[in-house]
Every structure is written in C-alpha cells, then in structure tokens.
Amino acid sequence: MGLYAFNCSEKLQTVNIRRGTCGHSVLSLGSMKTQWIWNKEKTKIVEPLDYENVIAQRKTQIYSDPLRDLLMFPMEDISISVINRQRRTVQSTVPEDAEERAQSLFVKECIKTYSTDWHVVNYKYEDFSGDFRMLPCKSLRPEKIPNHVFEIDEDCEKDEDSSSLCSQKGGVIRQGWLHKANVNSTITVTMKVFKRRYFYLTQLPDGSYILNSYKDEKNSKESKGCIYLDACIDVVQCPKMRRHAFELKMLDKYSHYLAAETEQEMEEWLITLKKIIQINTDSLVQEKKETVETAQDDETSSQGKAENIMASLERSMHPELMKYGRETEQLNKLSRGDGRQNLFSFDSEVQRLDFSGIEPDIKPFEEKCNKRFQVNCHDLTFNVLGQVGDNAKGPPTNVEPFFISLALFDIKNNCKISADFHIDLNPPSVREMLWGASTQPASDGNAKGSSPESVIHGIAESHLRYIKQGIFSVTNPHPEIFLVARIEKVLQGNITHCAEPYIKNSDPTKTAQKVYRTAKQVCSRLGQYRMPFAWAARPIFKDTQGSLDLDGRFSPFYKQDSSKLSNEDILKLLSEYKKPEKTKLQIIPGQLNITVECVPVDLSNCITSSYVPLKPFEKNCQNITVEVEEFVPEMTKYCYPFTIYRNHLYVYPLQLKYDSQKTFAKARNIAVCMEFRDSDESDGGPLKCIYGKPAGSVFTTNAYAVVSHHNQNPEFYDEVKIELPIHLHQKHHVLFTFYHVSCEISTKGTTKKQDTVETPVGFAWFPLLKDGRIITFEQQLPVSANLPPGYLNLNDGESRRQSNVDIKWVDGAKPLLKIKSHLESTIYTQDLHVHKFFHHCQLVQSGWKEVPGELIKYLKCLHAMEIQVMIQFLPVILMQLFRVLTNMTPEDDVPINCTMVLLHIVSKCHEEGLDSYLRSFIKYSFRPEKPSAPQAQLIHETLATTMIAILKQSADFLAINKLLKYSWFFFEIIVKSMATYLLEENKIKLPRGQRFPEAYHHVLHSLLLAIIPHVTIRYAEIPDESRNVNYSLASFLKRCFTLMDRGFVFNLINDYISGFSPKDPKVLAEYKFEFLQTICNHEHYIPLNLPMAFAKPKLQRVQDFFSFAVDRLTSVDSNLEYSLSDEYCKHHFLVGLLLRETSIALQDNYEIRYTAISVIKNLLIKHAFDTRYQHKNQQAKIAQLYLPFVGLLLENIQRLAGRDTLYSCAAMPNSASRDEFACGFTSPTNRGSLSADKDTAYVSFQNGHGIKREDSRGSLVPEGMTGFPDQGSTGENTRQSSTRSSISQYNRLDQYEIRSLLMCYLYIVKMISEDTLLTYWNKVSPQELINILILLEVCLFHFRYTGKRNIARVHDAWLSRHFGVDRKSQTMPALRNRSGVMQARLQHLSSLESSFTLNHSSATTEADIFHQALLEGNTATEVSLTVLDTISFFTQCFKLPGASEEGGPTRRTRIW
C-alpha cells in the first residue's frame, strides 16, 4: 500500500471544498493558493443520489416498468474480443519456431508482438457514445423531402422561370437605355451629373414594381441601383434640367431624375410609370377598405357569430352529433399524424453534418502503403545476334548471356532507395552456355534418384529462379527518381575490348560467330564470374504526387567505365544525363524492353522480398511477381510501427586498395567472395542464407562481386542480401575471400588449366555485433594473407598484439577494404539506449541481482533514443515500459521515471503528428499483463498514482504541462486496464461498489483534485494543456460510468463542476460545457438520469395534501417533476446539472449562450435520432425528462417573444397579401413587457377552476400595442425596458439562439405524452400557461415560410456582407403596408441566415435555392402541425367560463 498512502482527509476536504468550509490547499503549486476556492462565487451544489443504492432499492419498480430499457444498463455491455491480425501474406511472416530460437528479450518481444492477435475491449453501444453526427442510423436526413406547395411561391412560378430566383428578377415590363442623375444631395439640380445606364422595369411576384439599373444590357452582372416604385407618388417632365428628362417623386420628398435618349422613348416611359403609380394607389385604397371590414368581422366573430363546428356540436345535446364531433376530431388528429417528419431533420446543423473535429476511426497497425508500381521485364537485345546451340530454326538471339539488375536512384537526395532486382532474360539455349551443352543446372529439375525439390514458404524453388516482374515502392515520389538498369556479362577481359564488337559491327554475321565462339569458351571456364558491361536509366514519376511516367523509355546503353562503377558515380552520371550537352558517354547499340505500370488492384501471385506469398496466391503458379525492398528515408514522418517479421542485412563491398601490397605476385583480376558464418574455427562453414541470383539456388552459401579486369584498386557496386538468423551471437560474421581470376583462354582447355582459374589473395571479415548491436556504418578492414582458426579475436589493434594466433597481414594490417552494410530488420535495433534498457530488463528477469538506481539510469537514458526507432518499435517499447511500471522493482522512483519516459514518447509522437499510432496501440496492441510479483499493483492503479505525484511536483512544470496536454493517453490506458481487469478476473459480475477497492476510489478522487487547479487557475497560462485535460478527464469519467460505481462518478463530476463559477471568464465557461457535453454523450445517458417517478418526501406530501384535494378531479400526477428543483437535480443528476448550467449561461454573453444552447440542442437531436429509443412511449419519457427546460424558457419569455414579434403576429390584417404575412414584422427596437394583466378574462378548466388570461380576441398581446412599435415604446414600457437592460447587459437573443431554443421546445411538446402535458398544464400557474401558449405563437412566427424569392435575396445579401460586394444605394420603400413588407424582408436576413444550409459561395445554383426552400417549407409545415396538435389538445382540455352547466352555449378560447 506504499503508493496508496494518501491522507484520508482528502476525501473530507473535497466535501468541505464544495461546502465552502475548507481553508487549506489541495496542492502546493507555487502561487496556487487556496483562494481559488474562496475567490469565486460558486454555483449552488446539489448532491447527486447514490445511484447504485437507488437501483437496488427500486429494483422491483424498474423491472416492472414497461420502459425499463430507459432505466437499465444493458447486459454484457462490455467484452473483450480477440481479432485475428490482418495480414497481407498467406501465412505469418514469423518463422514457426522463432520464439523458441530467440534468446534476446528484445527479439522475443518483437516476435511476440508480430504474432499476437489484437485484443480489443468492445463497448456494445459505443456507436451511441458520441454526438448525433456519430449515430449509426442510416441517415439523419430524410431520403426524400416532401415538396409542399406554398401560395407565396405560386406567383413566382407563373411569372418567371426558376433560374431567376438567384438573380432576383421577375417579369420584365420594359427595358432600355436611360440617363440617371447623380444622387448626391449636395449638388444642385442644375449641376447633376448624368450617367448612361440600362434599366429593367420588373414586376415582382407580390405585385410590386422595381426599376433596376445596370452598366449594360447584361443583367447577370451586379445592379448599379434600384428604385422601388411602391414609394413613387408621381412622375413629371423636367425639360429645364436636361433634354427628355423626367422626375420620379418619392414619398420621403426625395426625387430621382432620369432622361431618355429620344422624345418617343420618354413618352413611353412616362405612360408606363404613370400606369404603375395608379395601380399602386388603387391597391392601397382597397387594402384600407379590406382592413376596416376585417376588423369588423373579427369583432363580430369574437361575439360568437362565427363559431367553429366543434363548439356548435358541444352545445348540442344530441348524442349522435356529439359522437360524430369526437370522431371527426380524432380523424383530423390522425390525418395530421400522417407523413410527419422529424423536425430536427431540417435543422441547419443536421443538414450540414460537419464532421470536422471528429476523430477518425482507429485502425490497427498496418504496413505503410507507399506509391507502388510494377516493372515487367520482357527482352534485352544487342546488335550482335545469331543462332545459338539447338536454336537453329528460331529467331536470332544474343550470342552470349547478359544479366540485368534494376534499382531506384534518387538524384535529389543523392542515394539509392531500393534493393537490387536481378533478372535473367537469356533464352534457354544461351543459359546452357554457362554449364556446357551436356550439363544441366542442378536446380532446373530433379534427376532420377535425386532428393525432392526444396520448398520455400510453400513455393517450389524452381518457380523462384526466373522471376521477371517486380513491384517497387517509393515513399517520397518526385520526378528526380530514376530506374537504373545495370548490364553484366561473363568475365572475359577489358570492358572496352568486350564492347568493341557491339559498337563497331561491320559484318554482323561474322562478328556474331566470332563473339559466340569466344563466349562459349569463357562461359564454360569463368561462368560464375561477372564483369560490368553497360547501364541505362529512365525516369519514373512525372510529379511529386506520384503520377507514373508510363510513356518514358530507357536511355541508350552507355558503356560502363571501370573507374566509375560505384553508386556515387552512377548518381553523378544521372545528374549529367539530365543535361545531354554535358554527356560524353559511349553508346552501345541495343534495346531494353521493360515496361512500368500501376500495380493492379487484383494482383495475384505476388511474394514479399522475403519470398512469403501474398494473398491471393495460386498453388504451383510459375508467373510470380516479387516485391523489391524499399530503403525508406530515415525521417520520422516516413516511419511507422513494424507489424511483420523481416530480418535482412545488405552488405556492400565498396573498394579494395591493393596497389601497394607485396604479399601476392598476381592480384589484378580480383574477385570478392562473401560468406556469412557463425564460427571462426577451421571446421566452420558458411551458412546457406544469402539470397541467390537468377538461375542459381534461391539461397546460397556465397556471393561474388563483379570483377574489374587488370585493376589492383577495384571498385564494386554489388549488393549482397543476407537472411539473418533469429538469434545472433558474437561469432556471426561476414567473411570476404579475395581471388585472383585468370582470364587466359586456353584453346585446349585441359583440366590442369581449369583448376588454376582462381587463386586466393587475401581474407577479411567483420563481426555483425558490437556491444550486442548490429554494426551498419561504413568500415575499413585490414586484409590477411591467411585464415587461421580464431581469427575473430583479431578485430582491433590491441587484440592483434596480445593474440597468439599465427596470422599474416597484407600491407602491415592497413585498412585496405572499404565496406558498408544496411540493416532492414524488425527484430533488431541499432539504438544503444533501447538495447541497454532491454538488456538490463533481461538480466533482472533472469535473477541477476540489481544494483540500486541502475534501472532508473537506463530509464532516463531512454529520453535520448532515436525518434525513428521509437516509432518503429513503438508497441514493443511501450509494453515493456508498462511491465517495468508494475513488475520490476520496489523502488519508489521507478514508476515515476517510467511514467516520465512514457510521457516523453507520447509527446514526441504528437510533435511529429503520429499520435494515431498511440491510439492504435491502446485499442489493439495494449494488453495489460498481470504482475508477476506478489502484492504488485495493476497498471491502472500505479499509473493513476504516478500521475498524481507528477502533478504535485511544484518544480517540473514542463512535465506537468506535458502530462496535462497528453493526458488522454494515460486515461485511455487506465480505462483499458480497468476493463481488462474486470473481465479477465471476472469482477464484472460483482456489484459495482465492490469491483474496485476503496483505495483506488481515493486515488481517482485525488487525481481529480490534482487536475482542477490546473484548469481553473492556469487556463490563461496553459490554454492548450488545460483544454486538453478538461476534455480527457470528461472522456475518462464518461467511460467510468460503464466500469465502476456510477454514484461515485457522479460525485467526481460534481466535485469538478464545483470548481467553476458563474463569474468565470468565457474560456472556463466553454471548458465547463465541453466537459458536460462529453459526459452527456454517454451511450446510456438516459438510464443514468433515471427517467422514472420519485415519490416526494413525507413532509412535502403533507404540504401538498390540500393542493391535491383541490385537484382531485384532475389527472394530475403528484410525482411529476417539471421544475428545476433540488430534488429534480438530485434524482436526474446529469440533465439537472446541464439545465442548471444552461439557465445560468443564458444570462451571460453571446458566446457562452451559444455554447450552452448548442449542447442542449445537439443532445435532443441525438435523442430524436437514437434508433434504440424510437418508440413513441420512449420518446415521450425522454421528453418528460426535459420538462424543466420549458420552465427555463418561461423564465426568459421576454427575450424570446419581444414586442416586435407579438405585434407582427397579431396586427397583421386579414387582407394582407401572402407575402406580407410571410414577412410582416417591424424592426425589433424595443421589447415590451409580456405581462397579460389588462382586460383579462378567465380561462376555465374542465374541473371548474380557471386562470386569468387576456381578452380572447386575437393573439396574446397586451392591450395598447395597436400601433407601430415606436408608438408603444414610450412611458412605462420604456422604463421597463431600460430597467431590464440595466439588469442584464446580455438581454437580447439573436435569431439562431431563439430558433434553437424553440426547436428544443417543439421537440418536447411534440413528443411528450398527452397525459403528462395535461398534468403539467394543470400544475403551472395561469400566467405560465399563457406564456406556454405564447411560446407556441412565437414558434409560428420564427419558423414561418418566406418564399423562394426571399431565400435567394437573403443569400445574396449574405454574400454582399461577407464577400465584400459593393451594395449600391437603394431607394427604400415608404412605410406603408406593402412597402413595409420590403423593409421587413431586409431586416429578416439574420433570421434566415441562422437556418441557411447553402454553400456560401458566389455561385449559388438554382438547385441550392430550391433545396433551401424545401427545408424551410418542411420546417414551417412541421412546426405548424405541432402547434396545431398542441392547440387542438388544449381546446379539448380547457373551456371559457361562459359555458352553461346545463349544456348552454359555451365559448372556446380563441388563441390564434
């Protein structure tokens, strides 16, 4: 319990912190004093219920509830699955007995990692644990949106085609050129400047007229100005100003001056304009007349002259009529329910479905798929051709064998980036020259009685000898990558001499015969030796995106220069090759037919560079393609965690300096033979692990480099590929044997002469391991004349002086041989720090007595390991660190130092943008292991404890900040460790309170306390770190709901939220709501809130007795929780906490309000689309859970339903046009009080009780609001408004906020059951009931449909503001009914913009406008139906006090 030694007072301290009675600090973090507790005004704290006890006590009630799925967590909510590791190969790349043969701990762990399947903790309903965008439902948006026809759009469809919607032009009445005067009022009438403009006189769908001016006839361009003719009262000529001029007189004593080009045109314009003015005048007179008549009709109807059908039927005593009335009402209700849509489907957030910020799916580790292309080798021909051997009737071929090796070279980075791909394109008759006419190669078949053919990874060896297709991969493609082909032939002599017949070929037939005779002799004698001959190259990519240059061709064959053979020389030649004017290379005529193409998707019969077959692979297939190994640049961004077994070593002899040696008389045609050995004894032999070349064995014991004729300082370019054994020891080495090769050709060819082909002229070697690591840097080695046993002991000068080995050195043991090697291994590391750390761990595991502090030293050294090695062996290193964390030593500093290394690795991965590998490790590779030591702690216990220790360090703020910033990693590790512990130890079946020890609860509680001040105090100092840990902690606590005591998690959440204050800055408010949003996105958020009835305490029941007696005749549910009371917040903790914080946030500034409203709305959207809760009863129960939200809206009713809103809804005359109804409202200048205390009447309940309400005539608008808002904004109303604004400086809500809040309100009203709704109505006060109905009226106003034309105008106005379009001055209409409509449209921009889902670009299409209109129309329809349903139900439940008890006349409340 050493790490659990926490003072128990910490738990008490937290309680005291919440109650404001604690006076000492939780952490000693420098300047962090305990004033963070006192200096803030805390939100009222409500202690959550003990969830587990409540569940146990109410078990019967829960199980008997028909909606128990809303109350219970599902069974088997969490499980562990083993997922088979996905492999590209047919079989595992790890050898069968690899783990048994491995002796190094590091190698063992690598092999175990590559052969172990993935272990994943599955959360059954994890798809429901994000926000609504992550739900697994097919689509949040309906597949087919109903197309409702609105009258406001009918005229538009008749007068103009749909394309005019975007350009805002209707039917053109007249058009032509006019001269328009400058509108600058400071210029006198006689000095006005006229500009020539092209005018369009257009009639709008609402019957009004507009005069638009453009620079030319192309009206698709921007309008230079417009004149609304509704405001025009007269048109007269004004010849004194300009010839053919006339004046448009406007209502506001303002005039426009226009001039025609001819008198006839002027007369035509005057006639047309006068007709329009007359039409407008007649229309206004008619509107006034209809307004008076409508007002009289309304007065008459309010006196009962026009009653609805149901009212008439209810007065009737005839039972059949009453039954008919009820059935009719029920049928109407059913009809309204047909084809209903989810209102949230048309919300702008749902329509846009912005997935930014959502973490992508976590995928397991996989081999990195770079740019790949396939090389197909077809033919190689030179201009010396003839008939060879038995091929007398066939086509002519090369008369001697040639050998090709392909490799990729990167000129830009000056390196070779692929292994060699060797190809043998020689026809069979030419191949026979290498073994003689009567001798077949041993590998071509099985002679009678010979042993069976060997099989490599299930493939016959003979199928691997003549591969002609290779797949290259490039990590960083660019145009300066070349495919280089090197051509070799059998050693014959000088390159120039051998190339001469191919360059100077005067008599092809004679030359071919001569070359063939010489080649036949040479092949039979020197067939295993090669010499360089020619090279060619071609570019691969067109650009840096990896587009293949499919049309590229190889350059001509350039004769190889014996002094320029190295890869560095080739890179220089390629640079010159790009500049032909500098190229002075001799060309050998010939043709190389090699094609480059993209790798087919369905490529089959392919093998890896280790000859392991890839899927799909046909058995006994002979046409095989091999992957050529890429040498990935040693840059972090190109690294990825290894997933397969690969263990290759590439050895390159570079140069031998033999010009000054005196040991050997003949050492000119020097051949280098390389072998890989595991012993330096005399009886030791080479291992068969070197990859062979075509036509030979797939694996061989030796490999020869090319021979340079008569060169004592030869250079080499050969690449020897070695399959390293799984276990390497100090005796493993590469042995170089040098031979002088005699190139003399004997015509007799005696046996004696054949035996003297090669003469040994020296030996060199280099051990693979140094200090346990493989050496790959460039080396220079001495050469010995003999090879005595035990020669490996002579590696350095000191050992040579002390050794008794009889050895003779060439040229005084000078370094004569230059070599380099390249390791491509996924089981060996070259990093010294990683090697020493694993080596020390292996010693400790084997029982070696540990020196105190030694392990800590190696842990600290891991901070210096190479980032590339860290990434490549990420799962191996991390798993070993977690073993050390719990197993290795009881030293107190080891867990902290181990955690610091983990923190270093995590931070480096994030800095390199490779944090996705960490997520993959946690989900798939990390498998907590049970500690082997007794009394050892589990990973989640130790890691949480060490996190606390680090956070309490007052000195190392850098480590603290890193831990906060990357805390998600440690929390995720803790969660998986907890889940694995519960499942593997079968603790998941225990009661939640018993799953984890109490000490672990204390640890988590202390960890929370350690984090709080870093968020609430240091947020300005470390904004990224505090935000990250805030989110990570929320995600961790959300997952804890699934694993442990939920009441305990409630308390942790309560403790955390108590650290915030209503007076916090905006940043902390955002943190708080981000925290709550993450918590509330739990997949079982509804059961966590327990949407069930809770009986009131006994005292409360007594107090409510009399009110229950009064309401005895109603169906009131006494347990209905409809207000944001303490009891409600306790019983339904999460939703209560969220609603309380939202209530406070609504009194804050816009950003905080926006955040709070978005959280609530997104949560309700998630409920609405959650496929688990689609039954109407389930939705009703969820909506009932949010019933206090309605009370929250009622508290802010004055901000939702301002004077302007109600006036626009109530004062609209019946005779107003459809366009006016859609847009008829005025500027929201002042907001009046909504207290309905004038001319009130009683609305009676069916049980005989009544509520006060306004005069039932029209809408619920206070009397006195009969004029325009500016007329009613004086006197007491003005004082009230100023008082309110002094109370809250953030009083005004914008359209987005109002629409979002109302949409949530409509969801609750629509989904809640009628019984609950009636109970709620009967419980609220009369004024609150009126306000509830006012909210419905406000919903109709804010979601009304405005028509396609207005939607197009809104978008264009949005573009004008946001894209800097110069909006020319426009003549605004006069303040009359129709002209007021136009003003209202412009002021309504913000309302529509909040719901706009169009792509805001300068190219809005007709389809965009149509789609937006479709959404607006469906929203308006669904809102109207929801309101109609609610009002219909309301009228059935309540009646006015004029009803006769004996069945006399009654009056229904007229709400609208």
Side-chain angles (χ1 to χ4, degrees), residues 450-576:
S450 63
S451 59
E453 183 181 15
S454 61
V455 175
I456 299 174
H457 298 298
I459 306 173
E461 189 173 346
S462 59
H463 297 166
L464 301 173
R465 290 201 182 102
Y466 298 104
I467 297 177
K468 300 179 182 179
Q469 299 171 149
I471 293 179
F472 289 82
S473 61
V474 179
T475 299
N476 182 28
H478 56 81
E480 296 187 67
I481 292 178
F482 285 81
L483 179 65
V484 175
R486 282 183 166 120
I487 313 299
E488 300 172 359
K489 58 174 287 186
V490 176
L491 176 62
Q492 184 175 346
N494 184 273
I495 297 177
T496 303
H497 174 74
C498 295
E500 186 175 353
Y502 292 90
I503 298 173
K504 301 176 182 179
N505 187 4
S506 56
D507 188 347
T509 305
K510 189 175 181 180
T511 303
Q513 292 175 354
K514 181 180 178 181
V515 172
Y516 172 67
R517 286 196 299 269
T518 304
K520 191 173 182 180
Q521 291 180 337
V522 170
C523 289
S524 61
R525 183 170 182 270
L526 306 173
Q528 64 177 329
Y529 303 106
R530 305 283 186 266
M531 64 174 287
F533 183 66
W535 68 275
R538 61 154 290 175
I540 294 297
F541 300 109
K542 294 180 180 179
D543 50 41
T544 56
Q545 280 70 44
S547 302
L548 284 176
D549 186 2
L550 300 177
D551 300 327
R553 293 291 181 266
F554 272 96
S555 66
F557 288 118
Y558 298 114
K559 182 176 73 70
Q560 191 74 264
D561 189 339
S562 60
S563 62
K564 297 180 179 179
L565 296 179
S566 68
N567 290 338
E568 289 73 15
D569 293 323
I570 284 291
L571 288 167
K572 292 178 183 177
L573 292 171
L574 287 173
S575 300
E576 296 176 359

Side-chain angles (χ1 to χ4, degrees), residues 139 159 283 349 385 391 445 465 555 637 881 1372 1388 1438:
S139 177
D159 296 341
S283 177
E349 300 293 332
L385 302 175
N391 190 29
R465 290 201 182 102
S555 66
K637 63 180 179 179
L881 287 171
M1372 296 301 294
H1388 190 46
F1438 302 111

Side-chain angles (χ1 to χ4, degrees), residues 83-89 117-118 364-366 615 643:
I83 302 176
N84 292 331
R85 181 181 286 263
Q86 296 298 314
R87 301 182 177 91
R88 295 193 308 136
T89 53
D117 290 326
W118 308 123
F365 295 125
E366 57 186 6
K615 303 173 185 177
T643 58

